[in-house]
């Protein structure tokens, strides 16, 4: 964005401090526009006619450096691009890299449906949510437009995930577009050879389109040409070579494009970038080797500026790291991920159920919670407010203390005498050193659990219920 | 972005009377794409083109309803068609702020320099982020593999590689260099921990001597992590390894770092300055090592802490990237090469658990394949942030991480490949 201080933004706001936006002052609202936690439309007065000019100016000035593009429709629609920075500590990255997994039109129908289901059903629980993948890329391998269109139809009947229609043959793309034109698919790709026909399709069907060339001059020329024709939703594929010097050059192209777009404000190429880690399969025939190398390429281009990836391996050892590295890079570094402190019920606890203490760091809390609930352990789980810090660091840093633990139960009106038959609480193994303090401060019996909450079930078998004193 | 609007909302927007469209029947609610007209309507308002704009809207409606406006008045300009590319050249500048190189640090010493290593390793010297075109990286990344002075708990996939050598640090060290391509060896003296075996410093120093004799690569000497015991252990180890330019791991703020610094100076070693994911703590410790303890710049390496993929890698990555950017941009308390305890990746459940503890998760598949890739991706991510030296455990992880970092560094030649028809590839 072109503005970088709240003061600059403030000049465009109504400056009445009416607080309708939920902020006390226009200045406070301005700082939220800068850090992108609020949108201009959250200020009702500026939407009025008399502010129209300022509104429009502000909208242009606040637009992200990298053009934002939506692929697909409805709840599964995916936004990519939208970035303003080169390094995550400078703010945060927006619009997580879209992961598109491939199917192809020469697959038998049953296999095709099964593969699509595998893609759309993939999930990995992580800090209170499921990590999932985003799109299906349909490749035209047959060279037959009708066959391609039929495969695309089958895929679109099977999933609501956005589609990427992959063919260098404009006739094939057109046949597929006729089938899914209402679903805002991404078309891949316009090249030096076919761009005239593909641009015609992008215009007629109003769909986002990928431009492909590993020559950055050509890529820029195409981008300029398409833009001139009024096609704005462009994605750049600068070619993903899987090995050797060619891979080194590929990495360089990604850095160059993004630096030009963000640091130098070169609007002409400030579009989302696509990488094709699938190309690892062009050189590795062994499935494990290919999956590994594909995951390496996917991770590298998630860290360095890939906005959408085309992938092939559905092996869990490829998909798990892929969704995790994406989450790693796109987690907002400004806010530790935490849960609300308090005492929660897991399952349906009774008076004989254990009371377990953990911290309110989301990763810690959800790990423990899922270990308990998936093992059907009914209990009370207390999330102590450690400012979103995990157990060991919170003990070391003084956010997990006996006083804090006591406070958590008090604030929740949790009376051990009424709620339990045992007046006992269980501390994490990594907080063992708090045992004495907690006993003194709360007057309860304190047991020390294992270091890893995954071992609580085994530990319970031996240690629960506690032996009467 | 394209703005959609319902016909029923149009009246209020343009303030006009839709019924004025004589002869057309409106059936249901029609969605109109305002951008079709080639001009952002809001922009048009702002520019004072209200009247023109209203006409555009009306024509749009008419066109959508099948009224042949285009033929009648030519209509708004149809989207432009081009049949020749607008030729253009791409160029981008280098980063001006990167003026301060990263300190070069030499590990190991050959006989001509008072040691007994066959060759030395140089880390650092970068003038840009790793693998960036601004300035080529002067030295490649290196890998040091873990060896322990006693059998320890390891993930099954790791352990199966070391069962034959688990009782002999010297054999273990030989194996990682000979069979697994380790550039260096780290000997972890964990048995010295008072809570483990409380091995004496003298006994631990013997193990270090054995390892130095077994291999001729530079080595890292690691304590047990016990802040009370480590200074004495590292001191003694430094003494028996005099002149070898080993890395002493580690000096940290919660132990007597001055003793470790002193040992490094006296016996010619490199200090690993270790802090926990905190850039200011790293600055502070480096400053203390230089100013207060008099450690020369060429004898400092940093370990800003590695947290595994899914377990805090976001902190570790950003911390390293910030440190490297600060160093390149002139912070001379942070422009040192970095080391990562990449082995920490094995702490992640995804690396070692047989299956997901959660029924809702998709199948996690065989863990033998999950562990190494967890270590690879943790290392690769940090290599992109600027890490120079990786402490690792699994042979496959070492091999793959070497392959990718050396490719990006420019050492790997392969036959050029044509990817232009990847879409039709049969894979
Ligand atoms: C990420 C991290 C950080 C992040 C913390 C981010 C966060 N939101 O928590 C940051 C950068 C902020 C950080 C800072 C510090 N850290 Co730190 N950090 C780590 C690191 C790398 C990973 C910790 C982690 O997230 N683990 C994953 C979570 C899920 O684990 P967990 O909370 O412990 O939960 C598990 C178990 O405890 C158990 N469990 C949880 N609840 C319960 C309940 C019961 C009943 C049971 C039975 C089990 C159980 O199961 C859970 C799942 O396995 C570790 C080193 C490592 N690799 O382990 C160091 C580590 C924890 N940090 C450490 C230190 C010293 C610090 C600092 C004091 C450093 C400093 N000088 O600044 C600060 C303190 C900051 C503060 N408290 O304000 C030390 C702690 C040493 C010690 N034992 O005292 C460690 C071990 C590093 C080390 N080896 O020295 N750190
Ligand atoms: S709603 Fe708008 S005018 Fe009112 S305080 Fe917020 S920013 Fe200012």
């Amino acid at each position: 964005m072109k503005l970088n201080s709240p003061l600059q933004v403030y000049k465009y706001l109504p400056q009445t401090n009416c607080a309708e936006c939920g902020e006390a002052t226009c200045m406070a609202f301005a700082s939220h526009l800068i850090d992108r936690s609020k949108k201009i439309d959250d200020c009702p007065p500026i939407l009025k006619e008399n502010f129209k000019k300022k509104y429009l100016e502000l909208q242009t000035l606040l637009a992200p450096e990298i053009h934002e593009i939506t692929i697909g429709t409805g709840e599964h629609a995916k936004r990519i691009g939208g970035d303003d920075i080169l390094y995550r500590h400078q703010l945060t990255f927006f619009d997580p890299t879209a992961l598109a997994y491939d199917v192809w039109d020469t697959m038998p129908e049953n296999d095709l449906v099964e593969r699509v289901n595998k893609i759309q059903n993939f999930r990995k629980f992580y800090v209170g949510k499921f990590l999932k993948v985003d799109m299906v890329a349909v490749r035209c391998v047959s060279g037959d437009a009708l066959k391609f269109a039929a495969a695309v139809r089958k895929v679109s009947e099977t999933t609501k995930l956005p589609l990427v229609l992959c063919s260098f043959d404009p006739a094939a793309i057109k046949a597929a577009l006729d089938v899914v034109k209402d679903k805002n698919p991404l078309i891949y790709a316009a090249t030096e050879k076919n761009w005239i026909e593909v641009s015609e399709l992008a215009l007629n069907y109003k769909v986002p389109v990928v431009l492909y060339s590993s020559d950055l001059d050509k890529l820029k020329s195409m981008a300029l040409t398409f833009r001139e024709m009024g096609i704005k939703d462009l994605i750049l594929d600068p070619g993903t070579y899987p090995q050797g010097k060619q891979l080194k050059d590929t990495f360089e192209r990604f850095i160059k494009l993004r630096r030009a777009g963000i640091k130098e404000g070169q609007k002409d190429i400030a579009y989302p970038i696509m990488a094709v880690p699938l190309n690892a399969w062009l050189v590795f025939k062994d499935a494990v080797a290919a999956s590994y190398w594909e995951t390496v390429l996917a991770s590298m281009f998630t860290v360095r500026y890939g906005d959408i990836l085309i992938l092939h391996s559905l092996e869990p050892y490829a998909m798990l790291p892929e969704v995790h590295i994406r989450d790693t890079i796109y987690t907002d570094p400004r806010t530790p991920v935490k849960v609300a402190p308090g005492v929660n019920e897991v399952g349906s606890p009774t008076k004989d159920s254990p009371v377990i203490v953990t911290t309110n760091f989301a990763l810690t809390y959800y790990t423990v919670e899922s270990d308990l609930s998936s093992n059907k352990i009914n209990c009370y789980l207390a999330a102590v407010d450690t400012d979103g810090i995990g157990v060991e660091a919170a003990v070391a840093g003084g956010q997990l203390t006996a006083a804090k633990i006591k406070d958590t139960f008090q604030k929740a009106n949790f009376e051990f005498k009424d709620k339990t038959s045992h007046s006992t609480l269980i501390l994490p193994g990594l907080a063992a050193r708090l045992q004495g303090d907690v006993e003194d401060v709360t007057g309860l019996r304190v047991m020390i659990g294992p270091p890893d909450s995954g071992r609580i079930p085994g530990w319970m078998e031996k240690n629960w219920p506690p032996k009467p004193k | 972005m394209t703005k959609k609007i319902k016909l029923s909302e149009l009246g209020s927007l343009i303030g006009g009377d839709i019924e004025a469209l004589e002869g057309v029947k409106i059936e249901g609610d029609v969605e109109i794409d305002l951008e079709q007209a080639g001009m952002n309507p809001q922009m048009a308002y702002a520019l004072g083109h209200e009247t023109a704009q209203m006409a555009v809207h009306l024509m749009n409606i008419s066109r959508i309803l099948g009224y042949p406006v285009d033929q009648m008045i030519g209509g708004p300009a149809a989207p432009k068609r081009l049949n020749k590319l607008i030729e253009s050249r791409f160029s981008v500048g280098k980063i001006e702020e990167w003026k301060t190189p990263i300190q070069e640090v030499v590990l190991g010493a050959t006989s001509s320099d008072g040691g007994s290593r066959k060759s030395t390793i140089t880390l650092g010297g970068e003038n840009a982020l790793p693998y960036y075109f601004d300035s080529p990286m002067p030295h490649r990344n290196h890998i040091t593999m873990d060896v322990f002075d006693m059998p320890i708990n390891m993930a099954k996939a790791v352990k199966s590689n070391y069962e034959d050598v688990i009782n002999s640090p010297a054999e273990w060290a030989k194996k990682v260099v000979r069979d697994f391509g380790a550039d260096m060896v780290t000997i972890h003296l964990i048995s010295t921990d008072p809570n483990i075996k409380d091995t004496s410093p003298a006994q631990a120093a013997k193990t270090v001597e054995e390892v130095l004799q077994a291999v001729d690569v530079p080595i890292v000497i690691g304590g047990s992590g016990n802040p009370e015991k480590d200074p004495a252990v590292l001191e003694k180890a430094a003494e028996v390894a005099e002149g070898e330019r080993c890395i002493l791991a580690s000096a940290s703020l919660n132990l007597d770092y001055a003793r470790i610094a002193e040992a490094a100076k006296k016996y010619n070693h490199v200090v690993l300055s270790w802090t926990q994911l905190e850039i200011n703590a790293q600055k502070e410790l480096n400053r203390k090592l230089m100013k207060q303890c008099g450690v020369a710049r060429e004898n400092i390496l940093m370990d800003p802490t590695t947290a595994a993929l899914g377990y805090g890698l976001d902190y570790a990555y950003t911390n390293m990237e910030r440190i490297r950017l600060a160093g390149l941009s002139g912070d001379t308390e942070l422009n040192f090469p970095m080391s990562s305890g990449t082995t920490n990746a094995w702490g992640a459940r995804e690396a070692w658990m047989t299956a997901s503890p959660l029924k809702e998760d998709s199948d996690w598949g065989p863990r033998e394949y999950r562990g190494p890739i967890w270590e690879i991706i943790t290392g690769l991510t940090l290599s992109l942030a600027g890490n120079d030296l990786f402490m690792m455990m699994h042979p496959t992880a070492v091999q793959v991480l070497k392959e990718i970092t050396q490719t990006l560094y420019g050492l790997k030649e392969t036959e050029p490949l044509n990817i232009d028809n990847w879409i039709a590839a049969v894979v």
Side-chain angles (χ1 to χ4, degrees):
Chain A
M1 59 175 83
K2 299 281 176 266
L3 302 178
N4 43 35
S5 82
L7 196 64
Q8 287 171 318
V9 176
Y10 179 77
K11 295 199 185 113
Y12 294 87
L13 295 175
Q15 306 180 4
T16 58
N17 299 336
C18 72
E20 275 182 63
C21 55
E23 296 299 321
T25 61
C26 293
M27 192 58 109
F29 183 72
S31 66
H32 283 287
L33 290 181
I34 288 288
D35 70 20
R36 287 172 61 173
S37 56
K38 290 239 153 125
K39 299 213 163 11
I40 313 177
D41 294 27
D42 295 336
C43 163
I46 205 175
L47 299 177
K48 301 221 177 86
E49 194 59 35
N50 51 335
F51 278 106
K52 202 140 218 164
K53 191 150 177 266
K54 289 233 157 107
Y55 171 85
L56 291 174
E57 280 170 351
L58 195 54
Q59 200 173 43
T60 316
L61 293 167
L62 288 175
E65 294 298 329
I66 302 299
H67 185 59
E68 213 167 28
I69 291 177
T70 303
I71 305 168
T73 51
E75 55 165 335
H76 290 286
K78 183 82 185 144
R79 255 198 340 232
I80 64 169
D83 278 318
D84 265 321
I85 50 157
L86 290 173
Y87 311 109
R88 73 184 273 281
H89 71 270
Q90 295 172 320
L91 183 66
T92 183
F93 288 124
F94 294 91
D95 302 339
T97 306
L99 306 178
Y101 291 80
D102 79 328
V103 298
W104 50 99
D105 66 354
T106 50
M107 293 178 90
E109 196 178 292
N110 286 349
D111 294 1
L112 179 79
V113 170
E114 193 185 325
R115 196 170 157 90
V116 171
N117 281 328
K118 215 168 163 187
I119 296 167
Q120 68 176 341
N121 294 333
F122 175 85
R123 56 210 56 214
K124 164 68 167 52
F125 187 78
Y126 185 64
V127 297
K129 59 178 192 258
F130 281 99
L131 304 178
K132 295 180 192 164
V133 302
D134 315 287
M135 296 183 190
V136 178
V138 191
R139 293 190 292 126
C140 177
V141 172
S142 67
D144 175 343
L146 291 179
K147 210 162 172 187
F148 184 51
V152 167
R153 178 185 310 276
K154 193 77 218 166
V155 174
S156 76
E157 283 166 9
T158 314
T159 184
K160 291 202 169 81
L161 292 183
L163 305 184
V164 189
L165 309 178
C166 307
S167 174
F168 291 120
D169 173 10
I173 301 180
K174 180 169 190 321
L177 275 174
D178 283 332
V179 176
V180 289
K181 55 175 170 293
D182 302 333
K183 301 197 168 167
N184 192 31
L186 172 63
I187 59 174
Y188 183 102
T191 65
E192 245 185 290
K193 289 194 193 115
N194 70 11
W195 69 267
I196 296 183
E197 293 93 330
V198 175
S199 65
E200 190 69 27
L201 293 175
L203 279 171
N204 291 344
Y205 290 87
K206 291 196 177 50
V207 286
V209 56
V210 182
L211 311 178
Y212 167 58
S213 172
S214 45
D215 176 340
L216 294 184
D217 293 338
K218 287 272 152 25
L219 206 51
K220 184 177 173 189
S221 302
M222 279 199 279
L224 270 175
T225 311
F226 275 57
R227 187 66 195 84
E228 184 63 23
M229 289 188 277
I231 308 170
K232 273 194 270 178
D233 288 349
L234 303 175
I235 293 172
L236 310 177
D237 174 3
T240 305
Y241 290 83
Q243 267 190 323
K245 289 261 157 55
Q246 289 179 312
L247 173 54
K248 185 174 171 51
D249 292 345
T250 299
F251 180 78
E252 217 167 282
R253 288 194 291 276
F254 275 68
I255 306 293
K256 285 181 170 168
L257 282 174
R258 192 46 49 95
R259 181 184 294 174
I262 286 180
K263 190 155 198 290
E264 300 189 356
Q266 297 188 30
K267 275 281 158 230
D268 295 342
I269 44 75
Y271 297 103
I273 313 178
M274 171 184 278
V276 185
L278 175 147
N279 288 346
W281 293 80
L282 302 181
V283 288
F284 290 99
K285 296 304 165 201
D286 170 68
V288 178
S291 294
Y292 259 49
W293 199 250
E294 182 179 28
T295 309
V296 162
L297 298 179
S299 305
M300 183 170 131
F301 290 117
T302 301
V303 176
R304 289 285 181 238
Y305 312 137
D307 297 289
I308 173 168
L309 311 180
I310 308 280
L311 301 153
H312 175 69
S313 181
L314 297 187
E315 293 296 340
Y317 56 85
M319 295 179 85
L320 289 170
E322 282 160 2
V323 293
H324 271 292
I325 190 66
R326 188 241 322 247
D327 188 78
T328 297
I329 297 303
Y330 283 87
T331 296
D332 190 338
R334 296 168 296 177
T335 42
V337 266
K338 44 187 177 178
V339 300
V343 182
N344 303 315
E345 294 186 357
V346 179
S348 14
T350 65
K351 282 191 149 195
D352 297 328
S353 302
V355 181
I356 290 177
V357 173
T358 192
T359 80
N360 79 328
F361 179 32
L363 177 60
T364 304
Y365 182 83
Y366 286 113
T367 308
V368 177
E369 201 263 352
S370 74
D371 283 340
L372 295 167
S373 58
S374 67
N375 285 291
K376 308 246 171 337
I377 296 177
N378 298 315
C379 63
Y380 294 101
L381 181 59
V384 179
D385 184 359
T386 57
D387 299 332
I389 301 288
V391 174
E392 215 174 357
V395 173
Q399 288 96 338
L400 185 60
T401 60
K404 279 269 188 78
I405 293 172
K406 183 179 177 191
D407 193 48
T408 306
F409 288 104
Q410 250 169 15
K411 281 203 179 126
N413 292 321
F414 189 94
E415 287 294 338
F416 278 79
K417 293 241 150 41
D418 307 339
K419 287 263 165 71
T420 74
S421 58
H422 48 71
S423 290
T424 300
L425 60 78
I426 306 176
L427 289 185
L430 295 175
R433 71 168 105 147
L434 301 179
Q435 185 171 24
D437 272 5
V438 179
E439 279 168 353
D440 293 349
V441 170
T442 61
L444 298 166
R445 167 162 40 180
V446 176
M447 297 174 83
I448 301 300
D452 190 310
S453 53
R455 303 236 156 88
I456 292 180
W459 180 90
M460 293 261 297
E461 272 170 33
K462 286 202 196 104
N463 297 286
W464 198 262
K467 318 239 162 1
K469 275 195 182 147
Chain B
M1 210 183 289
T2 302
K3 191 168 162 63
K4 298 255 191 214
I5 186 162
K6 293 266 164 64
L7 193 51
S8 51
E9 296 160 5
L10 194 72
S12 62
L13 188 88
I14 59 175
D17 183 2
I18 305 186
E19 274 148 43
L21 274 173
E22 255 180 326
V24 287
K25 219 170 98 209
I26 298 169
E27 282 181 85
D29 214 356
V30 184
E31 238 186 10
I32 297 166
D33 191 337
L34 288 187
E35 215 178 32
Q36 209 173 25
M39 198 200 291
N40 181 328
Q42 284 162 330
M43 191 66 83
Y45 277 123
L47 299 172
H49 292 178
E50 266 116 334
T51 353
Q53 193 56 33
M54 206 146 23
V56 169
H57 291 322
L58 292 174
M59 279 187 309
N60 267 332
I61 300 165
S62 315
R63 191 185 300 107
I64 280 166
L65 297 170
Y67 207 66
V69 275
D70 293 353
Q71 289 157 26
M72 289 168 64
I73 49 163
K80 212 192 266 179
R81 292 329 199 242
L82 296 172
N83 53 20
K84 243 183 113 250
L85 278 182
I86 305 170
E87 293 294 335
S88 173
R89 298 224 148 260
F90 175 85
S91 77
V92 68
K94 296 190 171 179
I95 304 288
E96 298 301 324
E97 303 90 282
W98 295 343
K99 290 207 171 81
T100 316
I102 303 305
Q103 176 67 45
E104 279 193 342
V105 174
V106 178
L107 306 173
T110 58
S111 55
S112 57
D113 293 315
S116 65
R117 306 298 86 196
K118 190 152 161 256
S119 56
T120 62
I121 283 173
T122 307
L123 302 178
E126 296 96 330
N127 286 286
L129 279 180
Y131 326 123
Y132 272 44
F133 62 95
D134 301 77
S135 165
M137 241 170 121
H139 309 291
R140 69 170 173 89
N141 306 97
H142 287 82
I143 290 173
T144 177
M145 288 184 76
D146 295 330
V147 169
F148 293 86
D149 69 345
M150 60 176 277
I152 55 148
N153 280 334
M154 282 178 255
K156 210 170 148 214
V158 178
K159 197 170 182 178
S160 60
N161 296 287
Y162 300 115
E163 251 140 15
D164 53 334
V165 294
I166 203 152
N167 289 303
S168 165
E171 290 305 314
W172 191 337
K174 273 189 201 160
K175 186 170 187 180
V176 297
V177 175
R178 185 189 60 222
D179 298 348
F180 302 151
D183 298 311
M184 294 179 63
V185 169
T186 304
I187 172 68
H188 293 280
L189 302 167
I190 52 160
S191 74
T192 59
D193 189 317
N195 303 318
I196 300 179
K197 277 193 180 169
D198 206 12
T199 310
S200 70
Q203 194 62 35
K206 266 222 179 87
T207 307
V208 172
E209 283 183 298
E210 280 167 32
V211 171
L212 279 168
Q213 268 158 27
V215 295
D216 55 15
V217 296
I219 71 163
V220 183
I221 303 172
S224 66
N226 182 296
E228 278 76 47
K229 184 84 176 278
D230 271 3
V233 171
L234 292 175
E235 244 168 30
K236 192 71 196 160
E239 186 184 337
V240 300
E242 177 160 13
E244 296 283 8
R245 293 194 59 76
C246 305
I247 299 174
L248 302 184
S250 317
S252 68
L253 286 166
N254 61 5
L255 54 61
D256 191 352
Y257 55 83
R259 269 176 83 182
I260 291 161
E262 205 46 47
K265 281 189 334 193
K266 194 160 163 199
Y267 304 114
N268 190 18
H269 298 296
V270 173
V271 179
L272 185 61
S273 168
W274 175 43
T275 56
Q276 275 129 7
L277 297 172
E278 227 269 283
I279 190 168
N280 291 314
Q282 190 68 59
K283 257 174 93 73
E284 179 189 344
L285 182 56
N286 294 353
R287 181 164 59 238
K288 285 183 162 152
L289 289 172
M290 289 188 287
K291 298 269 157 63
Q292 179 190 333
C293 310
V295 179
R297 290 183 53 86
E298 60 269 25
N299 293 335
I300 295 177
L301 195 67
M302 305 183 280
D303 177 354
T305 292
T306 292
L309 176 60
Y311 295 82
L313 182 60
D314 44 335
Y315 293 95
Y317 168 76
T318 283
N319 188 43
M320 275 197 174
E321 191 170 70
R322 283 184 69 190
I323 289 176
R324 178 50 50 92
L325 289 169
L328 291 170
S329 313
D331 190 330
T332 52
E333 286 173 343
L334 289 173
N335 64 335
F336 298 97
M338 292 188 282
S339 169
S340 145
T342 316
T343 303
N344 284 355
W346 288 91
R349 292 168 160 210
E350 290 78 355
W352 59 265
M353 261 193 192
T354 15
S356 172
L358 270 182
K359 283 164 203 65
E360 296 85 348
D361 270 3
S362 300
D363 185 10
W364 280 14
R367 65 171 160 172
E368 300 83 286
Y369 297 134
R370 274 187 264 123
I373 193 83
W374 225 259
E375 191 176 358
I376 295 164
I377 302 307
T378 302
L380 169 61
T381 304
L382 297 180
S383 92
L384 294 168
N387 190 64
D388 302 88
L389 179 68
F390 299 86
M391 304 196 175
M392 300 181 70
M393 276 220 87
H394 195 284
T396 305
V398 169
Q399 195 198 337
V400 178
L401 190 70
K402 272 196 155 181
E403 187 67 27
I404 184 64
T405 52
Q406 293 185 14
T407 298
L408 292 175
Y409 176 74
L411 282 178
K412 298 283 171 181
E413 294 284 357
T414 47
E415 282 292 305
L417 180 77
N418 186 341
I419 58 167
D420 284 344
N421 204 14
W422 71 266
I423 293 178
V426 177
V427 296

